[in-house]
């Protein structure tokens, strides 16, 4: 099966949000629903500043934690990208917990994230964001070609930014979004070594079988059942942590509260 | 209580108006998918409002019909391809053949679908029933509205003369009103905000210096430039599609980028040099750059000798303006001033200061723009690859009509550069423009803000009627409090618009226009390196009871005795006839992909030794005899601007890449991405004031004008002496469900402006605000 990937060139991105709007219109997303969010980042003190735009959007992880935890198979791999079939999503929200990049969100009771414009590409188009980007910061194609192009761009960028690099070749099993970065990913608050908040493998083997019944119930009863499932999920995680199967779950909750 | 209620209370100076008409669909109740079903195709509204779980993506619902159009969400006017399925517009993309869009499109252009299906649109002609400003109207037929309007216009003509009708127009149909109708009717008081509220200083200074206006498309050879300097230009926030593309390519190629801005803008973050200049001191910086270029022998001597005159005067003039002198004024290190000049000099002639667009800052703006052009001349930039090329107008014959009653002077960013005559054109009763040109300012297109006073005072003669087409008057002209006085004083106001903008409530007659996606338009001719002609054809029939601007202009024209100016059978025949001159027709233009491109003459070598400079001598005027004769400085000097009073910050404003002026804040998709503006405050300054990032504050200006609540962005990205906000928010228009009362209005805090004595531009960065935590 061919592997496809996006190229995101942050040397070029100037934060104009054309991708955000094209995605919303082309995919007919609802009011309040967005697959791409641009977040301004600034470092230093006036007037010694650096800054850029984090493109907060699905990285299409090779080892996708969201797929590992999805009890209904609504999240799955195809052509190297992480697809989402909202029609079968039960709304359990496990994927929102599992994602190391904090990408999927719940929208109208179901998971919501970039699916690489699966259908548009099948219909012969390019992903909506790629087609419109006035900075030509976005490309889409076979992963190997994208990887080579990413390196060409990073090499050229090093004349201006000595620390320019390609991000995504190794992270999370290799990303379906290779990012050309002018500098270290931490400057955009992007983790060098993304970690899932808990061990997705353990989750898949131990917890998921126990919670499938509940989440199927959630799909039927919708809203209320989802809350039960969610609570159950939290309890299970705590139990697992107590048993020493996973670690850091409690820490993560505290962190969330701090924020 | 952040929104409209407290906003209403706080902005007491601007009268609160409420649109109150009988038709249910006009009101907010119709927002959800069902309420609009009677007015518009259900599927479309579901689609743009985001119906969940659509079984098929829109492009599989039926055959895709493609139409060619020119985007009208901003005045940059990208060529677009519109995709329609089952009579519903679904997606807009850049037209690959268009020299501006090249197949790509910005966020605002993408929002065009949502702009068209905005349920808040004006839907029927209306005549006022309550007091002016009350927003109370009754719906009427087009026949009644047009007859009523025509009678009122003729009454003004009979009582006061043709000149007493003012025409304010904006957006791509402006030609039908501010140019064609106004000139046929006979009023010299037609104005476009794109002149004196935007481009006038830039284009008048260019005309005085090198003999032609910069024009709609800034003629920078981005493909070859090696050192670009941006002064107060925010590429990426200012989202002109082509410029973002060109900048990205030049930057990736390694061209040096120098950004001069009190704020660390998106493009400043891409710069090799960011000069966080003290606001209002740009001319001092440019004088010092000229000093370095000349003192260090870094200017293009052969070019200056061949193409410029007045060099010795300039060299003597700038001799004292050293980087050390400028450092004390601009708050920039002298070494940085010197180094950036050296970078430009090392790269000449592939170096230029980009002229930018919105140049009405401090009232000394023509002189500042002159300084820009003088730097560019020392760099040998005009007519050189890697510098600035010469735009050429597209060739296309006009549709035959009788000679106009009065010559046009509205200017505007889409206008062809015209020659300004020494004698002002007179209207039929012998009156020239009422905006004070030749007295309070030297030259340039009609200054919109200078027509407000005559509406109130009757001096130099009464202005009694107003046609307002697509111009968001109360969110563009500074001192809107005074504009409301003028709206009260006028005898007759007709507003033609797509949306119930703030000023609509003050109109006597409201005529709802069809959007650009629902109408043919006159051909767009673009002055460019490769001049071109672009087609706008409707993707769908007009929604509701709306009509195209050209139709409204013609219906009004024929009712006031100007039918000889509208002799075409229909718009298709009009377009076809014009296209005969280039051997085509609508069908042919469609087959060409919506664009016909012509050859230009961009560089000096294309002129075979003759001068491309339209000055009297054919030389670039480093020393301007014209300015000297009119009593102005012949070469730019630095004049200090007023400092903020203690406790106040200078109010700067700019753009969001998701919004155009005050036009798109209500557009559902765009509002969803960027619903309100923020006030940028230096982080240290905010801490001293006890204000945190994300807090809401009120703003109060030096005259006591107050904004509604606005969110604080405490950031390192701005100097301590200025605050910044995106223009266009803080609208007080109850008919705009999404935009009403969101964020703060820079315009309502601009109770003052400083008139540029050369171009008539209204400098608006002369207002100061303080932050007030009370009353939020």
């Amino acid at each position: 099966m061919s592997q496809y990937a996006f190229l995101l060139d942050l040397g070029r991105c100037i934060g104009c949000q054309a991708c955000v709007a094209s995605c919303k219109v082309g995919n007919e997303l609802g009011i309040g629903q967005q697959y791409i969010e641009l977040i301004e980042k600034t470092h230093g003190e006036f007037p010694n500043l650096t800054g850029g735009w984090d493109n907060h959007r699905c990285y299409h992880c090779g080892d996708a934690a969201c797929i590992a935890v999805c009890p209904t198979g609504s999240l799955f791999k195809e052509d190297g990208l992480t697809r989402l079939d909202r029609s079968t999503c039960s709304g359990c929200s496990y994927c929102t917990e599992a994602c190391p990049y904090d990408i999927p969100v719940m929208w109208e009771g179901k998971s919501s994230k970039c699916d690489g414009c699966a259908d548009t590409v099948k219909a012969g188009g390019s992903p909506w964001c790629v087609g419109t980007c006035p900075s030509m910061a976005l490309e889409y194609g076979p992963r190997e070609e994208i990887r080579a192009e990413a390196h060409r761009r990073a090499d050229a960028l090093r004349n201006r930014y000595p620390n320019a690099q390609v991000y995504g070749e190794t992270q999370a099993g290799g990303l379906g979004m290779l990012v050309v970065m002018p500098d270290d990913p931490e400057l955009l608050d992007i983790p060098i070594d993304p970690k899932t908040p808990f061990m997705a493998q353990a989750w898949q083997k131990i917890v998921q079988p126990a919670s499938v019944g509940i989440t199927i119930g959630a799909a039927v009863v919708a809203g209320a059942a989802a809350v039960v499932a969610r609570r159950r999920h939290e309890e299970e995680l705590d139990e697992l942590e107590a048993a020493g199967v996973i670690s850091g779950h409690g820490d993560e909750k505290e962190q969330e509260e701090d924020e | 209580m952040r929104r409209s209620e407290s906003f209403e209370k706080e902005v007491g100076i601007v009268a609160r108006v409420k649109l109150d008409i009988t038709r249910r669909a006009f009101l907010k109740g119709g927002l959800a998918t069902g309420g609009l079903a009677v007015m518009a195709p259900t599927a479309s509204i579901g689609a743009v409002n985001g119906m969940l779980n659509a079984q098929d993506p829109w492009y599989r619902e039926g055959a895709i019909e493609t139409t060619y159009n020119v985007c009208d969400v901003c005045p940059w006017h990208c060529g677009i391809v519109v995709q329609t399925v089952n009579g519903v517009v679904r997606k807009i993309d850049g037209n690959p053949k268009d020299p501006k869009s090249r197949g790509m499109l910005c966020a605002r252009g993408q929002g065009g679908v949502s702009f068209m299906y905005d349920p808040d649109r004006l839907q029927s002609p209306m005549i006022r029933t309550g007091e002016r400003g009350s927003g109370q109207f009754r719906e009427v037929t087009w026949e009644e509205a047009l007859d009523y309007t025509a009678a009122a216009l003729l009454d003004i003509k009979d009582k006061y003369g043709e000149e007493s009708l003012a025409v304010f127009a904006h957006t791509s149909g402006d030609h039908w009103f501010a140019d064609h109708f106004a000139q046929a009717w006979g009023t010299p008081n037609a104005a476009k905000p794109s002149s004196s509220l935007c481009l006038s200083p830039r284009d008048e200074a260019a005309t005085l210096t090198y003999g032609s206006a910069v024009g709609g498309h800034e003629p920078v050879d981005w493909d070859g430039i090696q050192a670009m300097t941006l002064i107060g230009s925010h590429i990426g926030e200012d989202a002109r599609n082509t410029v973002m593309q060109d900048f990205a390519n030049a930057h990736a190629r390694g061209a040096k980028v120098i950004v001069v801005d009190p704020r660390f803008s998106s493009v400043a973050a891409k710069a090799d040099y960011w000069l966080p200049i003290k606001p209002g001191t740009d001319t001092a910086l440019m004088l010092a750059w000229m000093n370095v270029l000349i003192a260090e022998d870094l200017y293009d001597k052969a070019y200056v000798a061949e193409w410029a005159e007045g060099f010795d005067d300039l060299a003597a003039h700038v001799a004292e303006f050293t980087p050390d002198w400028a450092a004390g004024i601009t708050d920039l290190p002298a070494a940085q001033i010197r180094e950036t000049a050296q970078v430009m000099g090392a790269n000449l002639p592939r170096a230029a200061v980009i002229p930018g667009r919105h140049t009405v800052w401090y009232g000394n703006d023509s002189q500042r723009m002159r300084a820009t052009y003088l730097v560019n001349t020392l760099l040998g930039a005009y007519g050189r690859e890697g510098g600035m090329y010469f735009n050429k107008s597209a060739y296309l014959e006009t549709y035959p009509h009788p000679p106009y009653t009065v010559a046009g002077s509205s200017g505007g960013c889409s206008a062809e550069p015209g020659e300004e005559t020494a004698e002002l054109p007179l209207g039929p009763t012998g009156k020239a423009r009422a905006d004070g040109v030749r007295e309070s300012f030297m030259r340039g297109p009609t200054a919109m803000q200078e027509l407000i006073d005559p509406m109130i005072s009757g001096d130099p003669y009464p202005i009694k009627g107003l046609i307002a087409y697509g111009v968001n008057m109360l969110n563009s002209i500074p001192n809107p409090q005074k504009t409301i006085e003028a709206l009260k004083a006028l005898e007759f106001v007709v507003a033609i618009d797509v949306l119930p903008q703030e000023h609509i409530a003050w109109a006597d007659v409201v005529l709802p226009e069809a959007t650009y996606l629902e109408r043919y338009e006159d051909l767009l001719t673009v002055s460019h390196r490769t001049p071109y002609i672009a087609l706008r054809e409707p993707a769908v029939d007009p929604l509701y009871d709306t009509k195209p601007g050209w139709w409204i202009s013609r219906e009004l024209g024929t009712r006031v005795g100007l039918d000889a100016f509208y002799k075409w059978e229909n718009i298709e025949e009009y377009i076809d006839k014009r296209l005969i001159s280039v051997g085509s027709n609508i069908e042919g233009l469609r087959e060409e992909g919506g664009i016909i491109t012509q050859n230009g003459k961009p560089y000096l070598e294309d002129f075979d030794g003759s001068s491309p400079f339209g000055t009297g001598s054919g030389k670039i005027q480093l020393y301007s005899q014209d300015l000297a004769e009119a009593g102005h400085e012949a070469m730019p000097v630095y004049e200090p601007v007023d400092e903020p009073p203690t406790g106040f910050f200078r109010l700067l404003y700019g753009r969001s890449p998701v919004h155009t002026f005050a036009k798109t804040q209500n557009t559902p998709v765009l509002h969803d991405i960027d619903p309100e503006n923020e006030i940028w405050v230096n982080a240290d300054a905010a801490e001293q004031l006890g204000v945190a990032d994300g807090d809401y504050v009120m703003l109060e200006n030096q005259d006591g004008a107050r904004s509604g609540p606005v969110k604080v962005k405490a950031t390192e990205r701005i100097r301590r002496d200025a605050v910044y906000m995106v223009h266009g928010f803080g609208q007080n228009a109850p008919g705009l469900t999404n935009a009403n009362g969101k964020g703060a209005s820079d315009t309502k805090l601009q109770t003052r402006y400083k008139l540029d004595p050369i171009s008539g531009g209204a400098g608006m960065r002369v207002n100061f605000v303080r932050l007030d935590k009370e009353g939020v």
Side-chain angles (χ1 to χ4, degrees):
Chain A
M1 191 173 68
S2 343
Q3 300 285 299
Y4 283 81
F6 286 88
L7 170 68
L8 168 61
D9 182 349
L10 295 180
R12 279 178 172 263
C13 173
I14 200 161
C16 79
Q17 313 225 38
C19 54
V20 177
S22 189
C23 170
K24 275 179 76 74
V25 177
N27 290 309
E28 303 198 323
L29 302 187
I31 295 301
Q33 190 184 22
Q34 243 171 262
Y35 289 164
I36 309 170
E37 189 187 354
L38 294 197
I39 304 168
E40 185 187 276
K41 300 289 178 181
T42 311
H43 290 273
E45 287 184 11
F46 182 94
N48 301 308
L49 300 171
T50 60
W53 292 93
D54 171 20
N55 282 229
H56 193 68
R57 52 185 293 172
C58 180
Y59 285 90
H60 299 280
C61 303
D63 295 331
C66 59
I67 293 177
V69 300
C70 178
T72 59
S74 302
L75 285 154
F76 58 96
K77 272 285 170 191
E78 184 186 36
D79 298 340
L81 301 171
T82 306
R83 310 294 200 201
L84 167 63
D85 182 353
R86 278 173 56 87
S87 69
T88 57
C89 173
S90 67
C92 72
S93 83
Y94 295 175
C95 55
T96 67
E97 295 271 333
C99 177
Y101 294 105
D102 207 17
I103 299 294
V105 294
M106 299 304 290
W107 191 79
E108 295 200 343
K110 296 188 179 205
S111 179
S112 170
K113 74 159 202 75
C114 160
D115 76 340
C117 285
D119 193 273
T120 314
V121 171
K122 282 173 201 156
S126 58
W128 294 113
C129 58
V130 173
T132 209
C133 177
S135 296
M136 291 148 280
L138 287 162
E139 303 288 345
Y140 177 83
R143 190 167 191 275
E144 273 315 296
E145 287 177 32
I146 290 291
R147 203 177 68 82
E149 175 65 14
H151 278 283
R152 272 196 296 278
R153 292 195 186 194
D155 290 347
L157 210 52
R158 247 166 250 131
N159 291 324
R160 177 176 261 127
Y161 305 109
N163 208 20
Q165 54 195 276
V166 176
Y167 177 90
E169 288 183 276
T170 56
Q171 283 82 2
L175 305 180
M177 162 93 67
L178 294 169
V179 189
V180 178
M181 292 191 179
D183 209 332
D184 290 333
E186 286 103 326
L187 290 170
L188 295 169
D189 301 327
I190 294 169
I192 287 190
D193 186 15
K195 289 200 168 46
T196 50
F198 51 86
M199 289 167 66
Q201 287 303 316
W203 164 261
Q204 197 167 23
K205 284 177 190 150
I206 301 166
V207 185
Q208 192 174 313
S211 61
V212 160
I214 297 169
T215 46
I216 288 171
V220 177
V221 191
V227 172
V228 174
R230 166 87 181 192
R231 192 175 301 139
R232 173 71 189 134
H233 155 62
E234 292 288 334
E235 285 164 11
E236 284 163 350
L237 289 170
D238 290 339
E239 283 162 20
L240 279 171
E241 185 168 18
V245 178
I246 61 169
S247 62
H249 176 244
D251 299 345
E252 192 229 350
K253 273 203 294 192
E254 278 167 32
Q255 210 176 349
E256 276 178 8
E257 279 156 21
D258 288 345
E259 282 168 6
Chain B
M1 197 173 65
R2 278 180 189 157
R3 301 263 163 92
S4 45
E5 282 170 64
S6 66
F7 182 73
E8 180 179 5
K9 221 182 306 165
E10 295 301 331
V11 189
I13 12 171
V14 179
R16 179 79 178 177
V17 295
K18 180 101 185 119
L19 286 164
D20 176 21
I21 62 162
T22 47
R23 187 158 168 176
R24 191 187 66 86
F26 183 84
L27 303 170
K28 288 122 210 155
L31 250 191
T33 50
L36 273 157
V38 290
M39 311 306 298
T42 316
S44 68
I45 302 302
V48 282
N49 284 343
M51 208 177 251
L52 188 59
N53 288 338
Q55 289 307 302
D56 284 310
W58 57 267
Y59 45 83
R60 293 192 198 278
E61 285 177 14
I64 298 174
E65 287 172 61
T66 296
T67 44
Y68 295 107
N69 209 307
V70 177
C71 185
D72 199 26
V73 184
C74 100
W76 191 245
H77 291 154
C78 286
I80 52 174
V81 178
V82 182
Q83 300 188 69
T84 304
V85 177
N86 299 332
V88 180
V89 178
R90 307 306 280 269
K91 187 73 172 67
I92 301 172
D93 295 297
N95 181 350
K97 270 209 75 175
D98 181 77
K100 285 193 180 182
S101 74
R102 306 159 187 160
M104 293 168 261
L105 202 58
C106 76
R108 301 165 301 167
Q110 298 287 346
V113 182
S114 187
F115 180 77
M116 172 185 160
Y117 289 115
D118 185 340
D120 287 343
R121 275 181 62 179
L122 294 166
Q123 298 180 4
S124 164
M126 302 189 292
I127 291 179
R128 183 169 60 82
T129 53
E131 267 179 59
R132 196 177 283 161
S134 69
Q136 290 170 345
F137 295 95
R138 68 186 165 91
E139 294 192 345
V140 297
T141 61
W142 276 98
E143 193 75 11
E144 183 179 352
L146 291 163
D147 287 346
Y148 185 94
T149 302
L153 297 180
L154 289 170
D155 182 52
I156 283 167
K157 175 182 156 182
D158 289 346
K159 286 197 283 191
Y160 309 103
E162 286 87 340
E163 298 91 333
S164 289
L165 175 68
V167 184
F168 290 180
H170 193 230
T171 77
S172 59
D174 59 5
H175 147 82
W176 292 109
F177 296 91
D179 301 320
H180 190 66
F181 182 90
Q183 290 179 57
W185 167 268
T187 179
N189 293 312
K192 297 176 187 168
S194 40
S195 296
S196 68
L197 304 178
C198 195
L199 301 174
S200 284
R202 187 193 75 168
D203 283 353
E204 294 314 304
T207 306
L208 287 162
T209 308
Y210 57 88
S212 55
V214 173
H217 189 109
E218 285 96 284
V220 178
D221 180 25
W222 295 96
D223 295 339
I225 200 164
Q226 286 299 350
M228 69 183 86
T229 301
L230 303 169
I231 302 185
S233 234
H234 323 126
I235 298 170
E237 298 164 39
D238 150 19
R240 279 171 297 146
N241 186 0
T242 327
V243 181
M244 293 196 293
Q245 298 175 26
D246 290 337
F247 174 83
N249 285 335
H251 183 262
R253 201 162 36 74
K256 295 289 178 201
V257 179
I258 299 163
V259 171
V260 180
D261 203 312
R263 191 173 59 89
F264 193 64
S265 59
S266 294
V267 75
K270 297 268 185 222
D272 299 286
Y273 300 89
W274 173 45
L275 282 57
I277 194 168
K278 181 179 173 185
T281 66
D282 312 88
T283 306
L285 172 66
M286 284 187 280
L287 290 168
W289 278 343
M290 287 189 258
N291 172 290
V292 174
L293 290 172
I294 294 172
E296 299 188 9
D297 231 3
L298 291 170
Y299 69 101
D300 192 332
K301 285 201 199 70
Y303 178 93
V304 169
E306 186 173 2
W307 295 112
E309 57 191 15
F311 176 77
D312 292 343
D313 295 309
L314 181 66
H317 178 63
V318 300
E320 62 181 299
F321 302 132
T322 61
D324 286 318
W325 166 81
I329 293 168
T330 57
D331 202 14
L332 298 170
Q336 195 182 36
I337 298 173
R338 180 171 285 109
E339 188 181 350
T340 45
Q342 288 165 343
V343 168
M344 289 185 243
N347 285 286
L348 71 80
R350 295 181 174 274
V353 183
I354 312 302
R357 253 171 120 75
H358 183 85
T359 48
V360 283
W361 300 353
Y362 300 102
N364 55 8
D365 305 305
S366 291
Q367 291 288 17
R368 184 188 71 250
M369 292 312 298
R370 280 257 304 148
T372 301
Y373 306 139
L374 301 195
V375 172
N376 284 346
T377 305
L378 294 178
L379 296 171
Y382 293 104
R384 306 283 284 283
E385 285 189 36
M388 311 279 292
Y389 57 83
F390 297 108
N391 276 328
K392 186 168 174 247
S393 302
Y395 166 70
L396 185 70
E397 292 292 329
T398 51
Y399 195 98
H401 61 74
Y404 283 134
T405 311
V406 66
S409 58
S410 69
C413 60
S414 53
E416 298 294 323
E419 273 190 32
E420 181 153 331
T421 51
E423 295 300 316
L424 291 172
L426 302 180
T429 69
K431 293 186 285 249
R433 286 156 57 175
D435 64 351
V437 67
R438 304 280 190 271
E439 288 166 18
S440 53
F441 65 100
M442 180 181 164
R443 53 178 290 135
T446 305
M448 182 176 280
Q449 80 282 354
E450 301 304 304
L451 291 175
I452 299 298
D453 248 339
M455 290 176 184
I456 300 167
S457 67
D459 180 39
Y461 56 85
I463 301 282
K464 289 293 185 183
L466 174 67
I467 297 176
Y469 170 81
V471 58
N472 198 332
M473 293 172 64
L474 296 173
N475 291 286
S476 57
I477 305 171
N479 202 353
Q481 297 84 348
K482 194 169 174 187
T483 305
I484 286 178
E485 274 183 59
L487 285 166
K488 285 180 186 165
L490 287 163
E491 283 189 14
F492 180 73
V493 180
V494 54
I496 304 155
D497 223 304
V498 171
L499 286 165
Q501 306 282 18
E502 197 166 333
H503 66 284
I504 295 291
W506 298 86
D508 300 300
V509 178
V510 178
L511 304 178
E513 197 189 16
T515 67
Y516 65 108
L517 299 172
E518 306 159 280
R519 68 184 203 236
Y520 276 107
E521 186 56 81
D522 199 351
L523 294 157
L524 188 88
T525 56
V526 181
S527 181
H528 198 259
R529 174 158 37 191
T530 52
Y532 66 93
I533 298 163
L535 174 68
R536 172 177 294 161
E537 57 179 347
V540 290
D541 289 336
L543 289 180
Y544 320 119
D545 195 9
T546 63
K547 297 285 186 187
W550 59 261
W551 184 91
I552 298 169
S553 174
R554 179 170 143 133
E555 290 296 316
L556 281 178
T558 52
R559 279 170 168 80
V560 296
L562 302 174
D563 37 313
F565 291 88
Y566 297 92
K567 278 295 178 200
W568 16 287
E569 290 164 29
N570 52 47
I571 192 71
E572 289 96 326
E573 189 264 334
Y574 173 97
I575 295 170
D576 275 339
K577 186 147 195 163
R578 291 197 73 190
L579 284 170
I580 289 172
S581 56
V582 291
S584 191
N585 56 26
I586 292 180
E587 203 43 53
L589 189 43
R590 211 176 269 141
E591 281 164 19
E592 294 275 345
I595 305 283
I596 294 176
T597 305
Q598 300 171 348
N599 292 326
K601 283 170 80 170
Y603 298 113
L604 286 169
E605 56 264 31
D606 298 317
F607 290 82
D608 299 324
S610 68
S611 173
F613 299 109
T615 51
S617 61
K619 305 257 187 189
I620 300 171
Q621 305 291 293
L622 298 176
Y623 178 97
S624 171
Q625 194 63 41
D626 289 345
L627 284 174
E629 281 168 13
H632 300 288
E633 296 285 351
M635 291 176 290
V637 296
Y638 165 67
E639 291 169 351
V641 298
D642 289 344
E643 300 280 333
T646 309
F648 283 76
F649 301 87
R650 183 179 302 279
L651 176 61
L652 303 176
Y653 56 90
R655 307 280 177 237
S656 158
V658 177
H659 290 296
T660 299
F661 310 135
K663 174 173 179 167
T664 57
Q665 282 73 8
N666 201 63
T667 301
V669 161
L670 301 180
H671 173 268
D672 198 31
I673 300 173
D674 187 5
E676 63 181 298
N677 60 357
E678 298 172 312
I679 183 86
W680 295 37
V681 186
N682 174 275
D684 291 342
E687 197 180 328
Q688 277 182 10
L689 291 170
V691 173
D693 189 56
D695 284 357
Y696 279 78
V697 296
M698 316 294 277
L699 303 173
E700 184 172 290
N701 84 348
Q702 72 282 339
D703 297 322
R706 286 174 71 87
S707 75
V710 59
K711 199 198 282 184
V712 170
K713 171 172 170 165
T715 175
E716 295 292 335
R717 285 184 172 232
I718 190 166
R719 289 172 57 93
R720 294 187 59 121
D721 52 3
V723 292
Y724 165 87
M725 68 165 77
V726 167
H727 168 76
F729 287 88
Q731 298 185 40
N732 187 16
L736 299 177
T737 312
N738 294 327
N740 187 37
K742 295 265 178 70
S745 162
D746 56 329
T747 307
K748 294 182 176 79
L749 294 165
Q750 289 159 353
T751 46
R752 298 181 189 185
Y753 65 88
K754 195 156 184 239
L755 183 69
D756 175 10
I758 296 172
S759 73
M764 292 181 260
R765 293 184 183 165
V766 298
N767 291 275
F768 309 107
V769 296
R770 66 178 189 88
L771 276 59
D772 188 353
K773 288 184 282 183
E774 300 300 314
V776 177

